């Protein structure tokens, strides 16, 4: 369908309350991990909470974080108010244990109210955890192709909820004193303003292609893992972008510390890479901000935008991928260059 550009970003994480400070901390490898009020295996659980000024909790905190991220990305692009752009807001999977009961009914309006504006009529909530952000990018591309001046792709999520943590601990997915092959739970909100590729010679970050797949052997299925879903997503993203591994220099992923995700990523590359790449680094910001669920795609986009514009990215092209809890896989190809090179 064509490329879209990422104009600006906003971020609220456990290592920073805006995109510049969050990205600087992630670049430096600084973590926001601290003891939480939850106890497992005889010790206080490590987590990465967002330290807001007020003691907001539940849906109210998710809305406040999202509003801050959305407001930041709009201000950074001098793009006006939210009512000009569809807000595609990603949230937790509908069947995630511990999900707030009033999430769907309140969140969009809470964000608009916090920003003192109304919603664009094409705004919508997308439930789906990690993979929701990629679906939001795909939908934004359709809206932009149909004439929208841009879209705000955002996500807000938290794993620091008793019901969620109890379920994750039962599945042996948390890092605890007795279990190292897991993740550190976190929370975050992030947003990016995306729009048509600008026809000018100034470098810009573009999403060139998107691809999706379904993994038949997701985590916990006890089936042999071949990374079929991620392979499908990689191939579809490259086909959509009309490029191959020669156009990407490193990877940017949602890997959260669990060995399953790294094994899946390695298998997918081994099955799709035909020519040798001496250096194909993998970046995973979750190692600094904890598992942030539905916020991860705009986090990845914001991290790449900062790395590209400040000149510390491992190259101009990056292959990104995310893995949904239910088996959905998504990949997208980003490249920082001028329109004339596209």
């Amino acid at each position: 369908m064509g490329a879209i550009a990422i104009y600006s970003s906003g971020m609220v994480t456990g290592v920073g309350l805006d995109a510049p400070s969050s990205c600087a901390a992630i670049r430096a490898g600084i973590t926001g991990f601290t003891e939480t009020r939850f106890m497992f295996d005889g010790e206080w659980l490590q987590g990465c909470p967002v330290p807001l000024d007020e003691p907001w909790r539940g849906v109210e905190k998710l809305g406040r974080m999202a509003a801050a991220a959305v407001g930041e990305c709009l201000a950074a692009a001098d793009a006006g108010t939210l009512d000009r752009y569809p807000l595609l807001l990603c949230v937790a999977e509908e069947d995630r244990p511990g999900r707030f009961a009033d999430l769907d009914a309140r969140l969009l309006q809470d964000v608009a109210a916090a920003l003192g504006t109304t919603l664009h009529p094409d705004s919508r909530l997308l439930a789906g955890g990690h993979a929701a952000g990629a679906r939001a990018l795909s939908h934004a591309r359709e809206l932009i192709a149909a004439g929208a001046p841009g879209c705000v792709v955002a996500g807000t999520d938290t794993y620091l909820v008793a019901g969620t943590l109890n379920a994750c601990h039962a599945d042996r997915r948390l890092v605890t004193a007795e279990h190292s092959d897991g993740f550190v739970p976190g929370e975050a909100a992030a947003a990016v303003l995306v729009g048509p590729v600008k026809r000018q010679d100034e470098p810009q970050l573009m999403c060139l292609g998107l691809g999706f797949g379904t993994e038949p052997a997701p985590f916990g299925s006890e089936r042999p893992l071949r990374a079929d879903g991620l392979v499908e997503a990689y191939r579809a993203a490259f086909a959509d972008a009309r490029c191959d591994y020669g156009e990407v220099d490193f990877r940017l992923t949602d890997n959260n510390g669990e060995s399953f995700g790294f094994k899946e990523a390695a298998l997918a590359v081994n099955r799709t890479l035909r020519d040798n790449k001496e250096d194909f680094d993998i970046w995973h910001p979750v190692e600094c901000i904890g598992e942030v669920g539905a916020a991860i795609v705009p986090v990845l986009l914001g991290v790449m935008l900062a790395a590209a514009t400040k000149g510390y990215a491992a190259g101009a092209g990056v292959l990104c991928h995310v893995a949904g809890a239910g088996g959905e896989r998504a990949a997208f190809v980003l490249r920082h260059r001028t329109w004339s090179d596209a």
Side-chain angles (χ1 to χ4, degrees):
M1 187 178 289
I4 57 173
I6 294 89
Y7 297 156
S8 60
S9 72
M11 214 175 290
V12 176
T13 71
V15 294
L17 299 182
D18 56 32
S21 57
S22 293
C23 292
I26 291 168
R27 180 186 182 187
I30 297 171
T31 71
F33 301 163
T34 186
E35 286 186 353
T36 69
R37 58 190 177 89
F38 303 101
M39 179 173 283
F40 293 100
D41 297 340
E43 292 188 359
W44 296 110
L45 182 72
Q46 290 283 304
C48 193
V50 171
L52 297 182
D53 291 337
E54 299 291 335
W56 290 303
R57 298 178 66 179
V59 176
E60 186 173 14
K61 184 172 186 179
L62 292 180
R64 294 285 181 170
M65 293 194 301
V70 169
E72 182 190 358
C73 86
L74 291 172
D78 194 21
T81 54
L82 180 62
D83 56 348
R84 295 185 58 199
Y85 309 97
L87 171 60
L88 308 178
L89 184 55
C90 305
V91 295
E93 305 89 341
E94 292 180 349
D95 59 352
R96 184 193 296 174
R99 190 179 194 267
F100 301 123
D102 52 348
L103 181 64
D104 297 333
R106 286 184 47 189
L107 191 57
L108 279 173
Q109 292 299 332
D110 282 2
V111 172
L115 292 172
T117 187
T118 57
L119 291 168
H120 187 283
D122 289 327
S123 297
R124 58 183 291 193
L125 211 64
L126 292 93
H130 289 213
R135 292 292 180 189
L137 270 181
S138 180
H139 187 53
R141 188 166 65 164
E142 293 174 359
L143 291 172
I144 292 165
C151 292
V152 176
V153 173
T156 184
D157 205 348
T158 180
Y159 270 72
L160 297 172
V161 180
T164 304
L165 294 176
N166 287 333
C168 291
H169 182 253
D171 291 336
R172 295 182 58 78
R173 300 197 65 184
L174 299 178
V175 171
T176 69
E178 298 181 3
H179 184 65
S180 60
D181 186 7
F183 63 77
V184 175
E187 58 187 3
V192 289
L193 178 62
V194 301
V197 173
K198 298 178 180 178
R199 300 194 176 193
Q200 57 188 28
D201 290 333
E202 294 181 13
Q204 55 193 310
L205 180 62
M206 292 175 275
C207 178
L208 302 180
L210 285 153
F212 298 89
T214 301
E215 176 54 53
F219 183 92
S221 68
E222 299 184 359
R223 300 170 188 159
L225 176 64
R226 298 181 66 251
D228 289 337
L230 206 50
V231 166
E232 182 184 0
Y234 278 9
R235 288 173 175 163
F238 279 133
D240 189 32
R242 298 180 182 178
C243 69
D244 56 24
Y245 275 103
E247 291 287 312
V248 295
D249 304 290
F250 67 109
R251 290 165 289 168
L252 186 55
T253 79
D254 65 345
N255 286 28
N256 61 13
E258 295 176 292
S259 60
F260 181 93
F262 287 100
K263 179 181 178 181
E264 183 179 17
L267 284 170
V269 169
N270 288 338
R271 291 184 57 193
T272 53
L273 179 60
R274 294 292 174 260
D275 299 316
N276 182 50
K277 289 181 78 72
E278 292 185 4
D279 188 12
F280 198 36
D281 198 9
I282 183 169
W283 291 11
H284 35 92
V286 173
E287 68 179 344
C288 296
I289 62 175
E291 173 60 82
V292 297
I296 191 60
V297 167
V299 165
L300 297 181
L301 293 170
V303 166
M304 180 56 185
L305 182 62
T309 54
K310 293 182 179 295
Y312 64 86
V318 58
L319 174 63
C320 304
H321 80 245
V322 292
E328 186 172 17
R329 301 293 184 260
F332 44 101
V333 178
L334 305 178
R335 191 158 185 83
H336 189 248
R337 59 185 177 184
T338 62
W339 177 83
S340 58
D341 295 329

